[in-house]
Amino acid sequence: ASAAASSPLPSTHTATVPSRRLAACAVASALLCSSSSSSVVGASRPVVSAAARTRPAAAFLIPRTQTPGAAAAAAAAPLRPLRMSSSSSSSAASEPSAADPSDAAISDVPIAQNLEGVRSRIAACLSAHNLPPSSARLVAVSKTKPLNLLAAAYDAGQRHFGENYAQECMSKAEEMPDDVRWHFIGPLQSNKAAPLVKRVGLDKLACVETVSTMKLANKLNRAAGEMVAEAEEAEGEGGEKKKKTLGIYLQVNTSGESTKSGASPGPDLVALASSISRDCPHLSIDGLMTIGAPGDYTCFDALVQCREEVAEELGRDVESLDLSMGMSGDFEEAIKRGATSVRVGSTIFGARDYSNLGKK
């Protein structure tokens, strides 16, 4: 819809022709009449999404070549709700429509039950390996999922959520309660770093888990520094004290696959950790993260080794660095091998649907 508003109309959609204005008025009148006639008890009312209601007038104009009969038919037909990608402005964000047949399936997802199942499995795994009950954090990966499912997870006590797309994370952070802690777990373009940090905020953005280059680290550090400066100015005027650093994890490519992002284990990773620690005062290296190859649990062992090397380089206690590893299919194995943070999505929210996912 935003693209339609910003792009020029083709010659058959010129809004300055008087007959076009009359046609637009006819459409609007027909819609009003249709809505009024549907006020009878039991009558079916056309469902118009918020995005459709905010469409510019140009979106309702009839091509100059359309016949009067076709124009009348178009005027009588109810508007179809628009699906907006998260790349659109937040004011036109996608909203599930009552006419959307997928809504029933969404509402049937037993979020609370699924969450309890995952938590029980985490607790059982920790107990079986004599690990403290709170030594593994659950991050609910909610990418592509609608807000009502996140709200259900929140109501069931979940506070840490993971998102893969910057725009989606920013939009959801503005809608969800302020005590939610967001983990950014997807590839982050350097030009999206500042908007992500500033819109989500240092208090709510718990961690960017995918830092593997100094370029991205510098962008995040600069954005966090600007946020800190603004917070300090507000504090000087009696404002609330704010968090001073942005947490990051160093992403490691433990599988060596060309399709996976991350720093290479060994000297490259150690050098990256050293440079960030020295040159990025507004970043806090809070842990390491890996995706690993499916079924190859040696990737988890490799991350454990990487943590020891990074801790030694930074003069840190090994236990002060988190290990983010393990997903829906292997989080128990990851906990067994030392994970302190697991990222579970489909087991909680159901299979993902990418069909309506816009460019993030």
Side-chain angles (χ1 to χ4, degrees), residues 121-168:
R121 289 169 62 185
I122 291 175
C125 186
L126 291 171
S127 176
H129 295 90
N130 299 314
L131 296 168
S134 60
S135 59
R137 177 197 306 115
L138 171 60
V139 175
V141 180
S142 47
K143 65 177 181 179
T144 78
K145 296 301 179 180
L147 280 169
N148 61 324
L149 294 191
L150 277 71
Y154 180 90
D155 290 342
Q158 185 63 29
R159 292 297 180 268
H160 288 263
F161 290 84
E163 291 291 338
N164 285 59
Y165 307 107
Q167 182 63 43
E168 186 174 6

Side-chain angles (χ1 to χ4, degrees), residues 21 34 97 174 214 248 270 276 294 301 324 328 335 352 356:
R21 293 177 179 171
S34 174
S97 165
E174 292 173 350
M214 276 305 299
I248 65 167
V270 171
I276 293 175
D301 299 330
S324 175
S328 286
I335 291 173
R352 298 186 182 94
N356 294 308

Side-chain angles (χ1 to χ4, degrees), residues 185-234:
I185 60 175
L188 181 61
Q189 296 174 333
S190 58
N191 65 339
K192 298 285 184 67
L196 177 68
V197 173
K198 293 180 179 181
R199 279 185 61 182
V200 179
L202 295 179
D203 288 334
K204 294 193 289 184
L205 186 58
C207 187
V208 176
E209 298 198 11
T210 50
V211 177
S212 60
T213 66
M214 276 305 299
K215 180 181 180 180
L216 178 57
N218 285 328
K219 292 281 188 179
L220 291 170
N221 180 67
R222 186 176 302 114
E226 292 172 357
M227 293 288 290
V228 169
E230 293 174 6
E232 289 176 344
E233 183 178 351

Side-chain angles (χ1 to χ4, degrees), residues 24-39 45-46 48 75-79:
C25 292
V27 173
S29 299
L31 286 173
L32 289 173
C33 292
S34 174
S35 177
S36 300
S37 63
S38 299
S39 61
R45 293 175 62 90
V48 183
L79 293 174

